[in-house]
Amino acid sequence: MDRMNDTTTARRVEITAQGGRADIEIDGTSIDPGAVKAYSVSHFAGERPEVLLHVADRGDTRWSGMARVTVADVPDPGPAAAVFLDAIDPEALERAAIARPDLGNEPYSLTKAMLTQLGEWARGL
């Protein structure tokens, strides 16, 4: 789609963000803060700025108006998890889990420590 020749009407968007709260208005109409869980703003040279509102999953929220809608699939985490797990050295995992200060002596505590360690490694901790 040639965005420069897009015939949709541009809307005036005002976002006032303070701390963890953002008040959003579209063409002077306030949007219920509980209806939006996140937003992002992008602007590429030569194109109109775009505001993407991530709508909260609420049954009582209603939207009306025109919008360009893009639907993205959530990627399947399985293949990335498999690559990550394939790269784990079992000996290093066992050593790290046994050395954890939170390792208990209750049933399955070693498995719990290993899963916690894997999660930390996956997050880069």
Side-chain angles (χ1 to χ4, degrees), residues 79-114:
V83 170
F84 171 75
L85 293 172
D86 286 344
I88 299 298
D89 176 357
E91 184 180 346
L93 174 59
E94 187 171 314
R95 275 195 318 266
I98 289 172
R100 291 184 64 84
D102 59 349
L103 176 63
N105 58 2
E106 62 275 355
Y108 312 111
S109 62
L110 181 59
T111 302
K112 181 180 176 184
M114 287 181 168

Side-chain angles (χ1 to χ4, degrees), residues 41-63:
V41 179
S42 61
H43 186 197
F44 295 98
E47 297 184 13
R48 290 182 182 172
E50 290 186 353
V51 175
L52 174 62
L53 302 178
H54 299 267
V55 179
D57 186 14
R58 295 173 48 131
D60 60 346
T61 302
R62 292 182 182 229
W63 292 84

